[in-house]
Amino acid sequence: MRLFVALDIEEAIQQRLSAYVCELKPRVSGVRFVNNANFHVTLKFLGEVASPEEVTQRLRQIEHAPVALNFRGAGFFPNPRAPRIFWAGMEAPLLADLAKKVDTALSGMGFAAEKEYHPHLTLARSGSGRPRPYPGERSPEGFQQLARLVDGSAAPEFGTMTAHEFYLYESRLAPGGAIYTKLERFALGGTDPIR
Ligand code: ATP
Ligand code: MG
């Protein structure tokens, strides 16, 4: 199964992100926006995993305080001239630390270690949606339009929250967009796992 580790966002922030995306959508064409219900903050993408039990067991060992997040700003990977991923930004001083713990907890299982963690919440993707293009792959015109719109406006504010848990998610790729299912929940701030 295809797995990733992520934080969920609060309803109020999801609604502000949705409203922001709703304003942009009619002004650009050919951009693959993420379903609003799918908004999340990835801590680590694992890809295909034969059995999730060891992953779960290792993630249960993580001890970490709750993580405060201030969602603000929007931008592009790898950059606004060749945009491939459109994201909402966040200030979250403890998030990289948590991502590091996830990385460390799963080390030796064959997952690629993260070079550097760039916290973001993906709002739209172009092409393969990977941070790096396939040879010959180009950003569609709609994505270039989007980059011009976003770079010409003030940084949006989406609100603050504190994450008290993170999740192991399964992703099933489907034509209408990936379908995510929470497999396990992990508490932040306590030593007792929540089930
Ligand atoms: P689709 O691939 O159909 O566009 P998706 O990207 O939402 O859908 P997945 O590819 O299963 O679904 O990815 C799940 C999460 O992991 C997403 O947040 C995605 O951005 C992130 N992710 C996927 N691939 C990678 C990768 N190679 N490196 C880092 N994060 C990744
Ligand atoms: Mg993907």
Side-chain angles (χ1 to χ4, degrees), residues 7-20 41 67-74 88-93 95 121 155-163:
L7 295 180
D8 234 11
I9 59 166
E10 280 177 7
E11 184 80 23
I13 293 167
Q14 192 211 31
Q15 283 175 7
R16 284 186 211 108
L17 290 166
S18 302
Y20 177 68
V41 178
V67 175
L69 304 113
N70 178 16
F71 289 86
R72 62 186 309 273
M90 68 204 67
E91 286 160 9
L95 196 58
L121 184 149
E157 299 281 348
F158 303 112
T160 61
M161 61 169 272
T162 299

XYZ file of all heavy atoms in Angstrom, residues 7-20 41 67-74 88-93 95 121 155-163:
298
model
N 0.069 15.640 9.081
C -0.771 16.337 10.052
C -2.068 16.719 9.369
O -2.077 17.108 8.205
C -0.122 17.657 10.491
C 1.177 17.671 11.249
C 1.543 19.130 11.523
C 1.051 16.895 12.542
N -3.122 16.661 10.134
C -4.430 17.122 9.702
C -4.576 18.607 10.030
O -3.954 19.066 10.969
C -5.458 16.389 10.557
C -6.458 15.693 9.722
O -6.247 15.607 8.511
O -7.441 15.209 10.304
N -5.397 19.334 9.292
C -5.600 20.742 9.636
C -7.007 20.970 10.175
O -7.933 20.211 9.873
C -5.313 21.671 8.445
C -6.220 21.339 7.267
C -3.843 21.597 8.051
C -6.220 22.421 6.226
N -7.141 22.018 10.983
C -8.445 22.321 11.580
C -9.408 22.881 10.551
O -9.004 23.531 9.592
C -8.271 23.334 12.727
C -7.794 22.667 13.986
C -7.539 23.644 15.123
O -7.854 24.859 14.973
O -7.017 23.189 16.147
N -10.675 22.664 10.834
C -11.776 23.092 9.965
C -11.687 24.566 9.550
O -11.830 24.906 8.373
C -13.087 22.835 10.736
C -14.355 23.135 9.970
C -14.752 22.016 9.010
O -14.323 20.867 9.240
O -15.479 22.315 8.052
N -11.425 25.450 10.515
C -11.415 26.894 10.213
C -10.328 27.224 9.191
O -10.529 28.050 8.296
C -11.201 27.696 11.491
N -9.193 26.572 9.303
C -8.092 26.813 8.367
C -8.418 26.206 7.013
O -8.191 26.825 5.962
C -6.772 26.258 8.949
C -6.390 27.088 10.180
C -5.647 26.283 7.917
C -5.320 26.495 11.030
N -9.008 25.031 7.044
C -9.415 24.395 5.792
C -10.378 25.310 5.036
O -10.287 25.460 3.819
C -10.075 23.045 6.079
C -10.254 22.213 4.821
C -11.473 21.314 4.899
O -12.458 21.656 5.531
N -11.384 20.177 4.255
N -11.294 25.935 5.774
C -12.274 26.813 5.118
C -11.623 28.050 4.525
O -11.991 28.483 3.436
C -13.387 27.185 6.102
C -14.365 26.032 6.273
C -15.427 26.283 7.320
O -15.542 27.388 7.854
N -16.198 25.246 7.625
N -10.642 28.616 5.231
C -9.946 29.793 4.679
C -9.116 29.420 3.453
O -9.054 30.173 2.487
C -9.083 30.453 5.748
C -9.904 31.250 6.734
C -9.038 32.021 7.722
N -9.760 32.127 8.976
C -9.458 31.472 10.096
N -8.388 30.701 10.152
N -10.205 31.601 11.169
N -8.492 28.264 3.513
C -7.727 27.800 2.343
C -8.670 27.560 1.165
O -8.364 27.941 0.034
C -6.984 26.499 2.682
C -5.812 26.601 3.659
C -5.416 25.219 4.154
C -4.613 27.299 3.017
N -9.825 26.957 1.440
C -10.807 26.687 0.383
C -11.281 27.981 -0.250
O -11.409 28.075 -1.476
C -12.019 25.933 0.941
O -11.616 24.734 1.527
N -11.554 28.979 0.596
C -12.046 30.268 0.087
C -10.986 30.917 -0.807
O -11.296 31.479 -1.862
C -12.398 31.179 1.256
N -9.739 30.830 -0.387
C -8.624 31.397 -1.159
C -8.518 30.719 -2.524
O -8.431 31.382 -3.563
C -7.341 31.203 -0.345
C -6.075 31.667 -1.020
C -5.846 33.019 -1.256
C -5.084 30.754 -1.382
C -4.672 33.445 -1.853
C -3.907 31.172 -1.971
C -3.708 32.516 -2.206
O -2.549 32.933 -2.796
N -0.702 18.372 5.845
C 0.715 18.745 5.849
C 1.528 17.458 5.929
O 1.498 16.769 6.951
C 1.048 19.660 7.046
C 2.535 20.000 7.063
C 0.197 20.924 7.005
N 2.463 20.684 18.203
C 3.126 21.582 17.251
C 2.201 22.736 16.870
O 1.101 22.505 16.352
C 3.528 20.793 15.981
C 4.110 21.723 14.925
C 4.537 19.702 16.331
N 2.650 23.962 17.144
C 1.878 25.149 16.761
C 2.182 25.492 15.305
O 3.333 25.426 14.874
C 2.233 26.314 17.665
N 1.130 25.832 14.573
C 1.297 26.184 13.158
C 0.564 27.478 12.857
O -0.588 27.649 13.258
C 0.728 25.087 12.249
C 1.274 23.673 12.432
C 0.190 22.762 12.971
C 1.791 23.129 11.123
N 1.239 28.365 12.157
C 0.622 29.601 11.679
C 0.653 29.561 10.151
O 1.712 29.688 9.542
C 1.402 30.810 12.226
C 0.847 32.121 11.721
O -0.271 32.178 11.202
N 1.627 33.187 11.858
N -0.520 29.350 9.569
C -0.591 29.206 8.107
C -0.674 30.573 7.459
O -1.623 31.324 7.689
C -1.820 28.370 7.710
C -1.679 26.918 8.067
C -2.029 26.462 9.321
C -1.174 26.015 7.145
C -1.886 25.122 9.657
C -1.030 24.681 7.464
C -1.383 24.237 8.722
N 0.317 30.887 6.669
C 0.314 32.175 5.959
C 1.223 32.108 4.733
O 2.182 31.354 4.693
C 0.741 33.317 6.864
C 2.160 33.214 7.415
C 2.425 34.315 8.422
N 2.060 35.615 7.882
C 2.869 36.388 7.163
N 4.088 35.997 6.895
N 2.466 37.557 6.725
N 0.840 32.903 3.740
C 1.649 32.973 2.533
C 1.341 31.832 1.579
O 0.706 30.840 1.943
N 1.761 32.025 0.337
C 1.582 31.001 -0.689
C 2.750 31.124 -1.651
O 3.320 32.207 -1.813
C 0.260 31.201 -1.431
N 0.429 26.491 0.183
C 0.239 27.456 1.262
C 1.374 27.241 2.248
O 1.757 26.101 2.515
C -1.108 27.237 1.938
N 1.907 28.348 2.762
C 3.050 28.253 3.662
C 2.636 28.224 5.119
O 1.458 28.376 5.453
N 3.586 28.014 5.986
C 3.310 28.012 7.417
C 4.561 28.333 8.202
O 5.672 28.019 7.766
C 2.750 26.658 7.844
C 3.752 25.543 7.757
S 2.988 23.917 7.583
C 2.254 24.031 5.951
N 4.327 28.996 9.340
C 5.398 29.166 10.315
C 5.118 28.153 11.402
O 4.045 28.172 12.010
C 5.369 30.591 10.882
C 5.888 31.607 9.879
C 5.439 33.031 10.183
O 4.867 33.259 11.272
O 5.653 33.887 9.315
N 6.051 27.257 11.605
C 5.850 26.168 12.563
C 7.215 25.692 13.038
O 7.758 24.716 12.521
C 5.068 25.039 11.918
N 7.761 26.410 14.034
C 9.143 26.163 14.443
C 9.439 24.717 14.856
O 10.564 24.250 14.686
C 9.335 27.109 15.632
C 8.297 28.163 15.467
C 7.136 27.533 14.762
N 7.965 21.975 13.645
C 7.538 20.978 12.648
C 8.715 20.210 12.044
O 8.647 18.992 11.867
C 6.718 21.665 11.557
C 5.891 20.761 10.660
C 4.908 19.927 11.488
C 5.123 21.589 9.641
N 1.735 23.111 2.434
C 0.462 22.420 2.220
C 0.120 22.581 0.750
O -0.068 23.706 0.267
C -0.611 23.028 3.135
C -1.981 22.370 3.118
C -2.653 22.509 4.473
C -2.863 22.950 2.020
N 0.489 38.487 0.908
C 0.531 37.136 1.478
C -0.767 36.856 2.230
O -1.147 37.612 3.112
C 1.730 37.012 2.410
N -1.471 35.782 1.868
C -2.721 35.462 2.560
C -2.465 34.921 3.975
O -1.424 34.319 4.238
C -3.344 34.379 1.671
C -2.194 33.753 0.963
C -1.165 34.833 0.784
N -3.445 35.148 4.846
C -3.386 34.635 6.229
C -4.475 33.591 6.391
O -5.631 33.852 6.077
C -3.657 35.780 7.231
C -2.667 36.926 7.172
C -1.362 36.616 7.892
O -1.306 35.604 8.621
O -0.398 37.383 7.707
N -4.121 32.411 6.876
C -5.107 31.325 6.973
C -5.413 30.917 8.409
O -6.266 30.067 8.631
C -4.626 30.104 6.197
C -4.330 30.379 4.746
C -3.024 30.330 4.272
C -5.351 30.721 3.862
C -2.748 30.585 2.935
C -5.086 30.978 2.528
C -3.772 30.908 2.058
N -4.693 31.476 9.375
C -4.993 31.169 10.768
C -3.970 30.266 11.434
O -3.054 29.758 10.798
N -4.171 30.101 12.726
C -3.231 29.306 13.527
C -3.948 28.132 14.184
O -5.162 28.161 14.383
C -2.601 30.159 14.654
O -3.661 30.604 15.512
C -1.869 31.356 14.101
N -3.187 27.116 14.489
C -3.733 25.952 15.202
C -2.581 25.240 15.903
O -1.413 25.559 15.671
C -4.406 24.977 14.226
C -3.470 24.404 13.171
S -4.177 23.023 12.227
C -3.713 21.637 13.285
N -2.946 24.312 16.778
C -1.941 23.454 17.388
C -2.300 22.013 17.070
O -3.437 21.597 17.311
C -1.896 23.666 18.917
O -1.559 25.031 19.168
C -0.858 22.766 19.567
N -1.343 21.299 16.501
C -1.562 19.879 16.185
C -1.249 19.058 17.423
O -0.159 19.171 17.990
C -0.688 19.452 15.019
